[in-house]
Amino acid sequence: HIAKDMKLEGIKVFSKSGEVIFSTYPNVVGKINDYPYFFNTVAKGLVFTKEVQKNGKSLEGRVLQKNVVETYVPIMDGDRFKGSFEIYYDIFDLRAAMDRQLSQFNRDMILFGIGLSLLTLFLLVGVAKAMKKRELAQEAMKLSEERLRAIMTTALDAIITINEKGEIVEFNPAAEKLFGYKNE
């Protein structure tokens, strides 16, 4: 029950010679693991792990009916190798949850991209409208200034414009004739 509760598909215990001394698969007890990874990695005190897809082969060549992570954990006494555990952890639920999260993330990123693109488009349209309004306002101001200049230049009456400091800002040709001073 512990193996099922911990989502373990299987467990083996090996002696230092590679012999299976316990297994949740009774038919493999007594067999020797003589694969290079066992002696070149696990027997040197290093954990060895491989992910095996459903219907794929384990490190020992057994076809597995589930998605599992096959892990060898060495049992050490100081520097001396005493044996190892082999654990087959069922990752079906974990992989399914990860696939769901990845799918949701992809959908979210697509929606975020679409939203960001729309926001950018609206901002660009807004900026373009604001620029057009500014251009139109500048053109209207230019035309207004040209009209004012034309009125000032052609008016028969003297026109003098004074700012808030009492300084003369404009002095039209009729004012020049009347007062005898030049605009400059």
PDB file of all heavy atoms in Angstrom, residues 51-81:
ATOM      1  N   GLU A  51      14.071   9.040 -17.245  1.00  0.00           N
ATOM      2  CA  GLU A  51      12.618   9.101 -17.443  1.00  0.00           C
ATOM      3  C   GLU A  51      12.264   8.088 -18.525  1.00  0.00           C
ATOM      4  O   GLU A  51      12.896   8.048 -19.578  1.00  0.00           O
ATOM      5  CB  GLU A  51      12.188  10.499 -17.880  1.00  0.00           C
ATOM      6  CG  GLU A  51      10.678  10.626 -18.040  1.00  0.00           C
ATOM      7  CD  GLU A  51      10.236  12.032 -18.422  1.00  0.00           C
ATOM      8  OE1 GLU A  51      10.964  12.998 -18.154  1.00  0.00           O
ATOM      9  OE2 GLU A  51       9.138  12.139 -19.016  1.00  0.00           O
ATOM     10  N   VAL A  52      11.258   7.279 -18.238  1.00  0.00           N
ATOM     11  CA  VAL A  52      10.826   6.253 -19.194  1.00  0.00           C
ATOM     12  C   VAL A  52       9.366   6.521 -19.557  1.00  0.00           C
ATOM     13  O   VAL A  52       8.507   6.601 -18.680  1.00  0.00           O
ATOM     14  CB  VAL A  52      10.966   4.826 -18.602  1.00  0.00           C
ATOM     15  CG1 VAL A  52      10.565   3.778 -19.633  1.00  0.00           C
ATOM     16  CG2 VAL A  52      12.384   4.586 -18.097  1.00  0.00           C
ATOM     17  N   GLN A  53       9.102   6.667 -20.849  1.00  0.00           N
ATOM     18  CA  GLN A  53       7.739   6.903 -21.328  1.00  0.00           C
ATOM     19  C   GLN A  53       6.944   5.598 -21.288  1.00  0.00           C
ATOM     20  O   GLN A  53       7.517   4.509 -21.351  1.00  0.00           O
ATOM     21  CB  GLN A  53       7.766   7.439 -22.768  1.00  0.00           C
ATOM     22  CG  GLN A  53       8.521   8.737 -22.943  1.00  0.00           C
ATOM     23  CD  GLN A  53       7.877   9.878 -22.183  1.00  0.00           C
ATOM     24  OE1 GLN A  53       6.665  10.003 -22.122  1.00  0.00           O
ATOM     25  NE2 GLN A  53       8.708  10.708 -21.574  1.00  0.00           N
ATOM     26  N   LYS A  54       5.624   5.737 -21.232  1.00  0.00           N
ATOM     27  CA  LYS A  54       4.736   4.571 -21.248  1.00  0.00           C
ATOM     28  C   LYS A  54       5.080   3.699 -22.461  1.00  0.00           C
ATOM     29  O   LYS A  54       5.297   4.216 -23.556  1.00  0.00           O
ATOM     30  CB  LYS A  54       3.278   5.044 -21.319  1.00  0.00           C
ATOM     31  CG  LYS A  54       2.283   3.909 -21.316  1.00  0.00           C
ATOM     32  CD  LYS A  54       0.868   4.436 -21.343  1.00  0.00           C
ATOM     33  CE  LYS A  54      -0.125   3.303 -21.328  1.00  0.00           C
ATOM     34  NZ  LYS A  54      -1.496   3.785 -21.354  1.00  0.00           N
ATOM     35  N   ASN A  55       5.152   2.394 -22.248  1.00  0.00           N
ATOM     36  CA  ASN A  55       5.519   1.397 -23.257  1.00  0.00           C
ATOM     37  C   ASN A  55       6.991   1.483 -23.658  1.00  0.00           C
ATOM     38  O   ASN A  55       7.411   0.852 -24.610  1.00  0.00           O
ATOM     39  CB  ASN A  55       4.620   1.456 -24.498  1.00  0.00           C
ATOM     40  CG  ASN A  55       3.179   1.150 -24.158  1.00  0.00           C
ATOM     41  OD1 ASN A  55       2.890   0.277 -23.354  1.00  0.00           O
ATOM     42  ND2 ASN A  55       2.271   1.906 -24.753  1.00  0.00           N
ATOM     43  N   GLY A  56       7.772   2.293 -22.925  1.00  0.00           N
ATOM     44  CA  GLY A  56       9.214   2.373 -23.167  1.00  0.00           C
ATOM     45  C   GLY A  56       9.938   1.361 -22.302  1.00  0.00           C
ATOM     46  O   GLY A  56       9.355   0.734 -21.413  1.00  0.00           O
ATOM     47  N   LYS A  57      11.236   1.201 -22.558  1.00  0.00           N
ATOM     48  CA  LYS A  57      12.023   0.218 -21.819  1.00  0.00           C
ATOM     49  C   LYS A  57      12.776   0.880 -20.675  1.00  0.00           C
ATOM     50  O   LYS A  57      13.336   1.949 -20.809  1.00  0.00           O
ATOM     51  CB  LYS A  57      13.017  -0.467 -22.753  1.00  0.00           C
ATOM     52  CG  LYS A  57      12.352  -1.415 -23.723  1.00  0.00           C
ATOM     53  CD  LYS A  57      13.382  -2.203 -24.490  1.00  0.00           C
ATOM     54  CE  LYS A  57      12.674  -3.200 -25.414  1.00  0.00           C
ATOM     55  NZ  LYS A  57      13.643  -4.036 -26.117  1.00  0.00           N
ATOM     56  N   SER A  58      12.773   0.154 -19.544  1.00  0.00           N
ATOM     57  CA  SER A  58      13.544   0.603 -18.381  1.00  0.00           C
ATOM     58  C   SER A  58      15.025   0.397 -18.676  1.00  0.00           C
ATOM     59  O   SER A  58      15.400  -0.177 -19.706  1.00  0.00           O
ATOM     60  CB  SER A  58      13.133  -0.194 -17.136  1.00  0.00           C
ATOM     61  OG  SER A  58      13.626  -1.518 -17.242  1.00  0.00           O
ATOM     62  N   LEU A  59      15.871   0.850 -17.759  1.00  0.00           N
ATOM     63  CA  LEU A  59      17.312   0.670 -17.935  1.00  0.00           C
ATOM     64  C   LEU A  59      17.698  -0.804 -18.012  1.00  0.00           C
ATOM     65  O   LEU A  59      18.707  -1.164 -18.600  1.00  0.00           O
ATOM     66  CB  LEU A  59      18.056   1.355 -16.779  1.00  0.00           C
ATOM     67  CG  LEU A  59      18.029   2.882 -16.826  1.00  0.00           C
ATOM     68  CD1 LEU A  59      18.469   3.481 -15.491  1.00  0.00           C
ATOM     69  CD2 LEU A  59      18.909   3.394 -17.949  1.00  0.00           C
ATOM     70  N   GLU A  60      16.874  -1.661 -17.432  1.00  0.00           N
ATOM     71  CA  GLU A  60      17.147  -3.099 -17.453  1.00  0.00           C
ATOM     72  C   GLU A  60      16.403  -3.803 -18.587  1.00  0.00           C
ATOM     73  O   GLU A  60      16.391  -5.018 -18.668  1.00  0.00           O
ATOM     74  CB  GLU A  60      16.750  -3.717 -16.107  1.00  0.00           C
ATOM     75  CG  GLU A  60      17.557  -3.154 -14.964  1.00  0.00           C
ATOM     76  CD  GLU A  60      17.002  -3.525 -13.607  1.00  0.00           C
ATOM     77  OE1 GLU A  60      16.034  -4.299 -13.532  1.00  0.00           O
ATOM     78  OE2 GLU A  60      17.549  -3.026 -12.609  1.00  0.00           O
ATOM     79  N   GLY A  61      15.738  -3.016 -19.456  1.00  0.00           N
ATOM     80  CA  GLY A  61      15.093  -3.595 -20.630  1.00  0.00           C
ATOM     81  C   GLY A  61      13.647  -4.020 -20.441  1.00  0.00           C
ATOM     82  O   GLY A  61      13.058  -4.607 -21.341  1.00  0.00           O
ATOM     83  N   ARG A  62      13.053  -3.765 -19.266  1.00  0.00           N
ATOM     84  CA  ARG A  62      11.660  -4.139 -19.017  1.00  0.00           C
ATOM     85  C   ARG A  62      10.747  -3.083 -19.633  1.00  0.00           C
ATOM     86  O   ARG A  62      10.982  -1.886 -19.495  1.00  0.00           O
ATOM     87  CB  ARG A  62      11.432  -4.227 -17.508  1.00  0.00           C
ATOM     88  CG  ARG A  62      10.121  -4.859 -17.116  1.00  0.00           C
ATOM     89  CD  ARG A  62      10.102  -5.172 -15.630  1.00  0.00           C
ATOM     90  NE  ARG A  62      10.242  -4.010 -14.781  1.00  0.00           N
ATOM     91  CZ  ARG A  62       9.214  -3.254 -14.383  1.00  0.00           C
ATOM     92  NH1 ARG A  62       7.991  -3.543 -14.740  1.00  0.00           N
ATOM     93  NH2 ARG A  62       9.424  -2.221 -13.596  1.00  0.00           N
ATOM     94  N   VAL A  63       9.695  -3.503 -20.369  1.00  0.00           N
ATOM     95  CA  VAL A  63       8.730  -2.569 -20.958  1.00  0.00           C
ATOM     96  C   VAL A  63       7.776  -2.117 -19.860  1.00  0.00           C
ATOM     97  O   VAL A  63       7.159  -2.941 -19.178  1.00  0.00           O
ATOM     98  CB  VAL A  63       7.944  -3.233 -22.126  1.00  0.00           C
ATOM     99  CG1 VAL A  63       6.873  -2.280 -22.650  1.00  0.00           C
ATOM    100  CG2 VAL A  63       8.894  -3.631 -23.245  1.00  0.00           C
ATOM    101  N   LEU A  64       7.658  -0.796 -19.678  1.00  0.00           N
ATOM    102  CA  LEU A  64       6.838  -0.233 -18.602  1.00  0.00           C
ATOM    103  C   LEU A  64       5.492   0.229 -19.141  1.00  0.00           C
ATOM    104  O   LEU A  64       5.400   0.757 -20.247  1.00  0.00           O
ATOM    105  CB  LEU A  64       7.580   0.930 -17.934  1.00  0.00           C
ATOM    106  CG  LEU A  64       8.934   0.540 -17.326  1.00  0.00           C
ATOM    107  CD1 LEU A  64       9.640   1.765 -16.779  1.00  0.00           C
ATOM    108  CD2 LEU A  64       8.742  -0.483 -16.213  1.00  0.00           C
ATOM    109  N   GLN A  65       4.466   0.032 -18.328  1.00  0.00           N
ATOM    110  CA  GLN A  65       3.099   0.366 -18.731  1.00  0.00           C
ATOM    111  C   GLN A  65       2.686   1.782 -18.314  1.00  0.00           C
ATOM    112  O   GLN A  65       1.556   2.189 -18.559  1.00  0.00           O
ATOM    113  CB  GLN A  65       2.119  -0.652 -18.127  1.00  0.00           C
ATOM    114  CG  GLN A  65       2.404  -2.087 -18.545  1.00  0.00           C
ATOM    115  CD  GLN A  65       2.428  -2.260 -20.053  1.00  0.00           C
ATOM    116  OE1 GLN A  65       1.531  -1.816 -20.742  1.00  0.00           O
ATOM    117  NE2 GLN A  65       3.486  -2.883 -20.565  1.00  0.00           N
ATOM    118  N   LYS A  66       3.588   2.501 -17.686  1.00  0.00           N
ATOM    119  CA  LYS A  66       3.294   3.858 -17.212  1.00  0.00           C
ATOM    120  C   LYS A  66       4.474   4.768 -17.513  1.00  0.00           C
ATOM    121  O   LYS A  66       5.581   4.291 -17.743  1.00  0.00           O
ATOM    122  CB  LYS A  66       3.050   3.861 -15.695  1.00  0.00           C
ATOM    123  CG  LYS A  66       1.869   3.050 -15.246  1.00  0.00           C
ATOM    124  CD  LYS A  66       1.739   3.112 -13.745  1.00  0.00           C
ATOM    125  CE  LYS A  66       0.531   2.307 -13.274  1.00  0.00           C
ATOM    126  NZ  LYS A  66       0.346   2.418 -11.838  1.00  0.00           N
ATOM    127  N   ASN A  67       4.234   6.071 -17.479  1.00  0.00           N
ATOM    128  CA  ASN A  67       5.323   7.049 -17.518  1.00  0.00           C
ATOM    129  C   ASN A  67       5.954   7.053 -16.124  1.00  0.00           C
ATOM    130  O   ASN A  67       5.262   7.299 -15.141  1.00  0.00           O
ATOM    131  CB  ASN A  67       4.797   8.459 -17.826  1.00  0.00           C
ATOM    132  CG  ASN A  67       4.243   8.579 -19.228  1.00  0.00           C
ATOM    133  OD1 ASN A  67       4.765   7.988 -20.161  1.00  0.00           O
ATOM    134  ND2 ASN A  67       3.186   9.341 -19.383  1.00  0.00           N
ATOM    135  N   VAL A  68       7.246   6.756 -16.048  1.00  0.00           N
ATOM    136  CA  VAL A  68       7.903   6.708 -14.751  1.00  0.00           C
ATOM    137  C   VAL A  68       9.269   7.392 -14.805  1.00  0.00           C
ATOM    138  O   VAL A  68       9.840   7.603 -15.871  1.00  0.00           O
ATOM    139  CB  VAL A  68       8.109   5.252 -14.245  1.00  0.00           C
ATOM    140  CG1 VAL A  68       6.804   4.512 -14.108  1.00  0.00           C
ATOM    141  CG2 VAL A  68       9.074   4.497 -15.126  1.00  0.00           C
ATOM    142  N   VAL A  69       9.737   7.747 -13.625  1.00  0.00           N
ATOM    143  CA  VAL A  69      11.137   8.136 -13.456  1.00  0.00           C
ATOM    144  C   VAL A  69      11.785   6.963 -12.733  1.00  0.00           C
ATOM    145  O   VAL A  69      11.356   6.578 -11.642  1.00  0.00           O
ATOM    146  CB  VAL A  69      11.268   9.442 -12.637  1.00  0.00           C
ATOM    147  CG1 VAL A  69      12.724   9.709 -12.316  1.00  0.00           C
ATOM    148  CG2 VAL A  69      10.677  10.608 -13.399  1.00  0.00           C
ATOM    149  N   GLU A  70      12.787   6.392 -13.376  1.00  0.00           N
ATOM    150  CA  GLU A  70      13.515   5.246 -12.811  1.00  0.00           C
ATOM    151  C   GLU A  70      14.771   5.816 -12.153  1.00  0.00           C
ATOM    152  O   GLU A  70      15.589   6.449 -12.811  1.00  0.00           O
ATOM    153  CB  GLU A  70      13.877   4.286 -13.951  1.00  0.00           C
ATOM    154  CG  GLU A  70      14.641   3.072 -13.530  1.00  0.00           C
ATOM    155  CD  GLU A  70      14.945   2.147 -14.722  1.00  0.00           C
ATOM    156  OE1 GLU A  70      14.640   2.482 -15.876  1.00  0.00           O
ATOM    157  OE2 GLU A  70      15.517   1.088 -14.455  1.00  0.00           O
ATOM    158  N   THR A  71      14.902   5.605 -10.854  1.00  0.00           N
ATOM    159  CA  THR A  71      16.020   6.198 -10.113  1.00  0.00           C
ATOM    160  C   THR A  71      16.736   5.145  -9.284  1.00  0.00           C
ATOM    161  O   THR A  71      16.102   4.356  -8.586  1.00  0.00           O
ATOM    162  CB  THR A  71      15.500   7.316  -9.174  1.00  0.00           C
ATOM    163  OG1 THR A  71      14.811   8.282  -9.944  1.00  0.00           O
ATOM    164  CG2 THR A  71      16.635   7.978  -8.428  1.00  0.00           C
ATOM    165  N   TYR A  72      18.059   5.166  -9.374  1.00  0.00           N
ATOM    166  CA  TYR A  72      18.910   4.302  -8.557  1.00  0.00           C
ATOM    167  C   TYR A  72      19.560   5.179  -7.498  1.00  0.00           C
ATOM    168  O   TYR A  72      20.196   6.179  -7.817  1.00  0.00           O
ATOM    169  CB  TYR A  72      20.008   3.651  -9.403  1.00  0.00           C
ATOM    170  CG  TYR A  72      19.494   2.583 -10.323  1.00  0.00           C
ATOM    171  CD1 TYR A  72      18.909   2.914 -11.539  1.00  0.00           C
ATOM    172  CD2 TYR A  72      19.576   1.240  -9.973  1.00  0.00           C
ATOM    173  CE1 TYR A  72      18.433   1.938 -12.394  1.00  0.00           C
ATOM    174  CE2 TYR A  72      19.095   0.254 -10.815  1.00  0.00           C
ATOM    175  CZ  TYR A  72      18.525   0.607 -12.028  1.00  0.00           C
ATOM    176  OH  TYR A  72      18.046  -0.358 -12.856  1.00  0.00           O
ATOM    177  N   VAL A  73      19.378   4.789  -6.223  1.00  0.00           N
ATOM    178  CA  VAL A  73      19.947   5.533  -5.103  1.00  0.00           C
ATOM    179  C   VAL A  73      20.948   4.610  -4.408  1.00  0.00           C
ATOM    180  O   VAL A  73      20.562   3.562  -3.868  1.00  0.00           O
ATOM    181  CB  VAL A  73      18.847   5.982  -4.110  1.00  0.00           C
ATOM    182  CG1 VAL A  73      19.463   6.753  -2.949  1.00  0.00           C
ATOM    183  CG2 VAL A  73      17.779   6.802  -4.820  1.00  0.00           C
ATOM    184  N   PRO A  74      22.224   4.988  -4.425  1.00  0.00           N
ATOM    185  CA  PRO A  74      23.233   4.109  -3.799  1.00  0.00           C
ATOM    186  C   PRO A  74      23.108   4.100  -2.277  1.00  0.00           C
ATOM    187  O   PRO A  74      22.720   5.080  -1.666  1.00  0.00           O
ATOM    188  CB  PRO A  74      24.563   4.733  -4.236  1.00  0.00           C
ATOM    189  CG  PRO A  74      24.246   6.141  -4.577  1.00  0.00           C
ATOM    190  CD  PRO A  74      22.808   6.185  -5.026  1.00  0.00           C
ATOM    191  N   ILE A  75      23.437   2.959  -1.691  1.00  0.00           N
ATOM    192  CA  ILE A  75      23.525   2.822  -0.231  1.00  0.00           C
ATOM    193  C   ILE A  75      25.016   2.779   0.077  1.00  0.00           C
ATOM    194  O   ILE A  75      25.725   1.876  -0.378  1.00  0.00           O
ATOM    195  CB  ILE A  75      22.835   1.534   0.249  1.00  0.00           C
ATOM    196  CG1 ILE A  75      21.361   1.527  -0.186  1.00  0.00           C
ATOM    197  CG2 ILE A  75      22.963   1.398   1.762  1.00  0.00           C
ATOM    198  CD1 ILE A  75      20.692   0.165  -0.012  1.00  0.00           C
ATOM    199  N   MET A  76      25.477   3.787   0.813  1.00  0.00           N
ATOM    200  CA  MET A  76      26.912   3.914   1.066  1.00  0.00           C
ATOM    201  C   MET A  76      27.199   3.820   2.562  1.00  0.00           C
ATOM    202  O   MET A  76      26.397   4.234   3.392  1.00  0.00           O
ATOM    203  CB  MET A  76      27.417   5.266   0.539  1.00  0.00           C
ATOM    204  CG  MET A  76      27.141   5.530  -0.942  1.00  0.00           C
ATOM    205  SD  MET A  76      28.024   4.419  -2.049  1.00  0.00           S
ATOM    206  CE  MET A  76      29.691   5.009  -1.883  1.00  0.00           C
ATOM    207  N   ASP A  77      28.360   3.276   2.881  1.00  0.00           N
ATOM    208  CA  ASP A  77      28.894   3.280   4.243  1.00  0.00           C
ATOM    209  C   ASP A  77      30.232   3.996   4.130  1.00  0.00           C
ATOM    210  O   ASP A  77      31.248   3.374   3.802  1.00  0.00           O
ATOM    211  CB  ASP A  77      29.061   1.847   4.753  1.00  0.00           C
ATOM    212  CG  ASP A  77      29.584   1.792   6.183  1.00  0.00           C
ATOM    213  OD1 ASP A  77      29.588   2.846   6.855  1.00  0.00           O
ATOM    214  OD2 ASP A  77      29.998   0.701   6.614  1.00  0.00           O
ATOM    215  N   GLY A  78      30.179   5.309   4.345  1.00  0.00           N
ATOM    216  CA  GLY A  78      31.375   6.115   4.079  1.00  0.00           C
ATOM    217  C   GLY A  78      31.613   6.130   2.584  1.00  0.00           C
ATOM    218  O   GLY A  78      30.751   6.514   1.806  1.00  0.00           O
ATOM    219  N   ASP A  79      32.778   5.616   2.170  1.00  0.00           N
ATOM    220  CA  ASP A  79      33.112   5.535   0.743  1.00  0.00           C
ATOM    221  C   ASP A  79      32.785   4.165   0.152  1.00  0.00           C
ATOM    222  O   ASP A  79      32.990   3.947  -1.046  1.00  0.00           O
ATOM    223  CB  ASP A  79      34.618   5.816   0.532  1.00  0.00           C
ATOM    224  CG  ASP A  79      34.965   7.267   0.783  1.00  0.00           C
ATOM    225  OD1 ASP A  79      34.040   8.109   0.769  1.00  0.00           O
ATOM    226  OD2 ASP A  79      36.159   7.559   0.995  1.00  0.00           O
ATOM    227  N   ARG A  80      32.308   3.252   0.996  1.00  0.00           N
ATOM    228  CA  ARG A  80      32.069   1.883   0.526  1.00  0.00           C
ATOM    229  C   ARG A  80      30.629   1.708   0.048  1.00  0.00           C
ATOM    230  O   ARG A  80      29.676   2.027   0.737  1.00  0.00           O
ATOM    231  CB  ARG A  80      32.378   0.883   1.642  1.00  0.00           C
ATOM    232  CG  ARG A  80      33.858   0.834   1.963  1.00  0.00           C
ATOM    233  CD  ARG A  80      34.219  -0.172   2.998  1.00  0.00           C
ATOM    234  NE  ARG A  80      33.048  -0.873   3.551  1.00  0.00           N
ATOM    235  CZ  ARG A  80      33.070  -1.620   4.605  1.00  0.00           C
ATOM    236  NH1 ARG A  80      34.185  -1.790   5.260  1.00  0.00           N
ATOM    237  NH2 ARG A  80      31.989  -2.208   5.045  1.00  0.00           N
ATOM    238  N   PHE A  81      30.504   1.156  -1.147  1.00  0.00           N
ATOM    239  CA  PHE A  81      29.201   0.877  -1.750  1.00  0.00           C
ATOM    240  C   PHE A  81      28.653  -0.414  -1.151  1.00  0.00           C
ATOM    241  O   PHE A  81      29.314  -1.448  -1.154  1.00  0.00           O
ATOM    242  CB  PHE A  81      29.374   0.742  -3.275  1.00  0.00           C
ATOM    243  CG  PHE A  81      28.118   0.378  -4.002  1.00  0.00           C
ATOM    244  CD1 PHE A  81      27.046   1.246  -4.064  1.00  0.00           C
ATOM    245  CD2 PHE A  81      28.020  -0.837  -4.662  1.00  0.00           C
ATOM    246  CE1 PHE A  81      25.885   0.919  -4.762  1.00  0.00           C
ATOM    247  CE2 PHE A  81      26.869  -1.175  -5.361  1.00  0.00           C
ATOM    248  CZ  PHE A  81      25.808  -0.292  -5.409  1.00  0.00           C
TER     249      PHE A  81
END
